[in-house]
Amino acid sequence: MRDDAPILVYHPGALGDVVATFDNLLRLKQRFPGGVEGVCQNALGKLGCTLGIFRRAFPVESSVFAGLYAETSGGSDPVPGSLFRPYGGVVLFSNSRHLERGISRVFHGPVYRMPPRPPITSRIHIHDHVSGHLVAAGLLTAVNDGASFPKGFPSVKRRKGASKTVFIHPGSGSLRKNWPSARFAALARRIRQEGMVPEFILGPAEDHIFPRIAEDVSGWTIHTPATLDAFVTLLERADGYVGNDGGATHLAAFLGLPTLAIFGPSDPVRWRPRGRRTAVVTPADLNCRPCFER
C-alpha cells in the first residue's frame, strides 16, 4: 500500500477499548503522511478528531455502513464503496470475519483485521496487543518504540495558594468493577484533609450510583456531564483524577492528568491506563485475580 494514502480505522467498540488504541493510532499517524481517519461511535470519532488522532471520522451508527453486515452485496450499495476508495488500507478492530468480508466486498485494498482485545488467557497489555498486530501487518516497524501521548492540557493559572482540584469518578461500565461509594467518600475526606478539593463526576448512564454518592458526600460538588465533550471540558480544570478501571479513567490518563486507577476483579496487567503520570492500586484479598473477564 502507498505510504501517502490515508489509513481508515474501523472500531465499533466502547470508550475504553477505543481510547486504549489512541497511543498506537498516534504512532500510525506518524508513519503514514496521509493520516488516519476513523469509523467509530459518533462521540468517540469527535473525540479522536479533537485530540488530533483522526483527520476526520464517520459515525459507525450511520445507515451507510449497514450493508457491510449483510450476507451478500445485494446489488452493492455504491456509497460505502466510494467512501472506502481513497484509503490505502483498513484497520478493522473486530472479531467478526463476517464484517471483514463485508468491507472486502466494497474495498479492494488490504483489510487488516485484529481482535479488539487480547485473549483472556493472555496476560498482555492492550497497547502491546494492538502494537503487535500492527507490526505483524507491516503498518508499524517496531513493537516497543515508545508510546506517543498528547501534550495534555495547558496548566491552569491559579491564584497563589489556591487548592488543587481532584476529580473522583466512582462509576464504570460495570458495577462489578466499582469500588464501594462509601470508600470513595472516605477517600474524598482524606483528600480534603490534605488541603485539596475533591469533586465527584457521574456519567449519564450512572444514575443508579447518584443516590448513594449523594448520601455519602452530602453538600459536596457532584458533576453530571451529559456528553463526552462536556466531560473533557471538565477535566481541563482538574489537577488529578481517581477512578475505577473504565473508559473515563483511560481517557484522563491519556490526556496527561495525574491518574489513580482502582482495580478490583479486572487485570491491571492487561488494562492499566497508559499515560505520563498514572498509578494503579489493587486489593490484596481477592479470591481470584483476574476474574472479571472470566
Side-chain angles (χ1 to χ4, degrees):
M1 60 172 289
R2 302 194 334 266
D3 286 358
D4 60 345
I7 296 289
L8 183 66
V9 173
Y10 195 113
H11 198 323
L15 176 63
D17 290 324
V18 175
V19 170
T21 69
F22 277 177
D23 48 359
N24 274 304
L25 296 188
L26 283 175
R27 296 168 64 210
L28 201 62
K29 177 185 173 183
Q30 295 166 359
R31 168 71 172 78
F32 290 90
V36 175
E37 300 186 2
V39 177
C40 52
Q41 292 182 31
N42 189 41
L44 303 184
K46 291 179 179 179
L47 174 67
C49 291
T50 298
L51 297 179
I53 296 166
F54 298 139
R55 189 171 65 177
R56 63 175 175 168
F58 307 94
V60 73
E61 303 94 333
S62 171
S63 60
V64 168
F65 301 103
L68 300 177
Y69 297 86
E71 287 291 344
T72 62
S73 60
S76 184
D77 184 348
V79 176
S82 62
L83 187 151
F84 282 89
R85 192 171 297 123
Y87 300 104
V90 175
V91 176
L92 172 61
F93 289 92
S94 176
N95 290 313
S96 172
R97 294 186 181 276
H98 185 69
L99 178 57
E100 180 183 15
R101 289 193 295 268
I103 293 175
S104 296
R105 283 199 305 268
V106 298
F107 176 65
H108 302 297
V111 178
Y112 308 98
R113 184 181 65 84
M114 62 189 68
R117 298 181 172 192
I120 61 173
T121 55
S122 173
R123 300 196 72 195
I124 180 174
H125 192 272
I126 178 66
H127 166 85
D128 297 324
H129 163 76
V130 172
S131 181
H133 278 277
L134 292 174
V135 170
L139 299 175
L140 292 179
T141 56
V143 176
N144 296 312
D145 60 354
S148 299
F149 298 102
K151 293 181 179 179
F153 297 128
S155 299
V156 178
K157 292 183 178 179
R158 300 184 181 279
R159 298 186 311 274
K160 186 176 181 180
S163 298
K164 293 184 176 181
T165 301
V166 178
F167 283 112
I168 299 175
H169 181 204
S172 73
S174 170
L175 286 174
R176 294 172 58 201
K177 294 194 290 185
N178 291 352
W179 205 36
S181 60
R183 297 194 180 185
F184 276 112
L187 175 62
R189 289 190 288 270
R190 175 64 181 272
I191 289 173
R192 186 164 59 178
Q193 290 172 3
E194 296 289 336
M196 294 173 280
V197 179
E199 297 183 7
F200 284 80
I201 297 177
L202 291 177
E206 295 167 348
D207 293 344
H208 55 284
I209 302 176
F210 188 89
R212 295 196 298 275
I213 290 296
E215 179 180 350
D216 290 330
V217 296
S218 177
W220 291 11
T221 301
I222 302 177
H223 301 276
T224 55
T227 66
L228 188 55
D229 285 343
F231 173 70
V232 172
T233 299
L234 194 61
L235 293 184
E236 289 180 350
R237 67 175 184 83
D239 296 286
Y241 182 96
V242 180
N244 298 300
D245 170 30
T249 303
H250 282 269
L251 180 56
F254 180 76
L255 292 173
L257 284 176
T259 300
L260 177 65
I262 300 174
F263 274 72
S266 52
D267 187 357
V269 172
R270 292 160 52 82
W271 292 107
R272 67 177 296 137
R274 287 175 60 89
R276 294 188 303 275
R277 295 174 289 180
T278 63
V280 168
V281 292
T282 60
D285 56 352
L286 281 184
N287 57 12
C288 66
R289 182 184 290 132
C291 40
F292 176 72
E293 291 178 273
R294 300 180 189 276

